[in-house]
Amino acid sequence: MPVSRNIFLLPLLLMALGFHAQTSPYTAQGIDKLNDKADKFLTDLNFRQSLRYSREALKQAISLKDNFRIAYAYNTIAGNYDELSENDKAIYYYNKGLSYANKTENDTLKNWLNNNLGNMHFFEKKNYEKGIAYYQAAIHHGEKIRDTSEILFTKLNLAWAHFDIGLYDQGQPYLEYVNEHFEKFGRKNLKAARLLLNGMLESERGRNKSADAYFRLAMDMAIATDEKLDLSYSYEEYSKFLAKTGDHKNAYRYLQMFGKIKDEVYDAEKLKRAATEGLNLELDEYKRAVDRIAAENEIQALSLRKSQIIVILFIVCFLALTLLLYMLNKNINFRKKVNAELLQTNAELHLAKEKAEEAARLKTQFVSTISHELRTPLYGVVGITDMIADEHKELVRSPHLNSLRFSAKYLLSLVNDILQINKIEEKRVVLESHVFNVYDEIKTIKDSLKFIANRNRNEIKIDIDPEIPELLIGDKLRLSQIFMNLVSNALKFTVDGRVVIKAELLKNIGEKFFIKFAVKDNGIGIALEDQEKIFEKFVQIERKENDYQGTGLGLSIVKRLIELFDSEIHLSSMPEKGTEFDFTIAFEFNPQKTNEIINNIEVDLSTAASHEVLVVEDNKINQMVTRKILQNNGYRCKVVDDGLSAIELLRKTKFDIVLMDINMPIINGFETTRRIRQFDRETPVVALTAFDKEEITEEALSSGMNDIIIKPFEPIKLFQIINSQIGKRMTE
């Protein structure tokens, strides 16, 4: 392994670390001098003398309890065993050095030790993954101290490591980094190694002329800098290069030159003397271990003497405790009685808790079932109403059709209210981000409530602050739901009057625009004693024979939704004078983000005619509604009644997307999708269901479905998901 890849510290850095005030006869400066000599002898490959001085430096550093110098000495000792190819000993001492280095704040030392351990595990143990991990740790410490020289050194080792196992593509970026920064940050003793690595890369790439030049420069530089091991590696790699190019005569000559240098470096007598010094070093380690054991025995003897004192104290305490036990005995029966009562109470509480949890589970299941069973026919009612309005323009202004549409949407609103209050109570509502125009949203609500307004001969007035930005970002659906409840309430309890919807910009902080909304009427008002309870669930006040009854959930939902916006609702009302609700919500104003959201929701229907859609739906009315929505917007559509028919058709015919109902006879939508995925993993499958999305998401994804649409839905949402899923499949 090339010596240039091992790291030995410079004495100037040691001196900069300061002095330790100790009573020991040793000094930090003396240890630094010993380590300096040990490093010099190791550079000269005089292993015996290097181990001798490192051993003495280690003994003195341990005496001073100087973690930095202990780690330094272990690093030099390990470097000797590294060059002697005693890999296990080298790793042992490198690890000891790292354990002491980690007790210091010196990232330079940690960098060197991690680098050396990376060399050992990569080159010697062939544990490449572990070696790379140590190299990366070395780079991390180098980056912490912003030492480009050390980072360059480690990346040179990483390049060499990858070249050594033939991964030239992975090693090349590291070498490029070395080449780029070497002139400014490279050390003199690494010049030959850098040239050698460039020669190896050029040889691998088949650029023989360039490789030959690099190898010759590497050999010349190793001779000039007296780097014997780098010279030997240069001879070895050049020999391989010559053999590859067919110059076997010179290849053999350089191989002999490589062997000659290795014999000089690892002279048998020199290695024998080094082994003797290494044995002395190991004896020192054993002696220190014995000393630790002796110290531990002394501590145990002292502990024994303390134990005797503790025994005496224990006897005294025992007598005192006996007296206390006598006194406490009188309370035992009383405590037993109390404990028995507590156990009974706990058992009753546990039973009550289980019943409450079961009731909550049944409530959630009931709400889910009811909402699904109601949404399914409502999908048909709302869809058919829209179809009639589209196909028979003469009926658009028909009061009967408008009444039907209003009744259907009110019933849907009722279902959503019940589901919404349940979600809010279980903390399952998350606000979304939409781009919207405040005036447009309020105008839509005004138009949708004209039926109620006309019935009571009311006027709806909109007052929007012109300072409010045209487009804001926030959950417009929740905001619309708040206004829908507040305005419909105002219209129900006002006759021959006026309802004002107002939006006023209070302030803006950065991108947050704080808008105060108010809904004011001149209706019957709310008595003071009723104002606290109107936000409770199922509460109705001022109910008369001909009043629009409602569920009593509206204001409860409004209060909870406004709290989701980190705000609160305020009420001001006087009987026979009118009522005003107001609240403030901060929305985001960000033109760039607004454009991104708009781009994401725009739907391109120009290619719809080329898309084949399979609808799997057992309800005939819903089949007709879904087919009509798709065909009216250019999609080609095929409908089947159940999952088995869908599987059979998909085996023979290719579709661009499948819209899958969940609750079907024979086999449900989940099982149908699982069977489809056994032979077709590409066609997107989207659940088209009346179930709540959160209830089925996990099972839908596990069955192989790609997305979920809840019925009833906005057609634009359906087209957006269809185009998105088809687009994803085409780009994969």
Side-chain angles (χ1 to χ4, degrees), residues 104 221 236 330 376 417 457 492 675:
T104 74
M221 185 58 68
E236 182 183 22
K330 294 181 179 181
T376 298
D417 279 353
R457 301 173 300 282
K492 286 185 291 181
R675 297 190 187 185

Side-chain angles (χ1 to χ4, degrees), residues 668-697:
N668 63 30
F670 299 132
E671 180 60 27
T672 302
T673 304
R674 289 189 187 95
R675 297 190 187 185
I676 290 172
R677 289 301 181 225
Q678 292 176 3
F679 62 87
D680 181 355
R681 305 195 66 85
E682 295 181 0
T683 303
V685 178
V686 175
L688 196 62
T689 177
F691 281 111
D692 186 50
K693 186 173 183 177
E694 293 179 3
E695 297 176 11
I696 65 168
T697 296

Side-chain angles (χ1 to χ4, degrees), residues 216 235 238-258:
R216 290 182 179 276
Y235 285 155
Y238 191 45
S239 173
K240 294 177 184 177
F241 168 73
L242 292 171
K244 188 176 77 171
T245 59
D247 190 353
H248 298 290
K249 180 179 179 182
N250 282 319
Y252 179 71
R253 181 166 67 88
Y254 277 99
L255 186 61
Q256 286 182 314
M257 293 166 70
F258 162 72

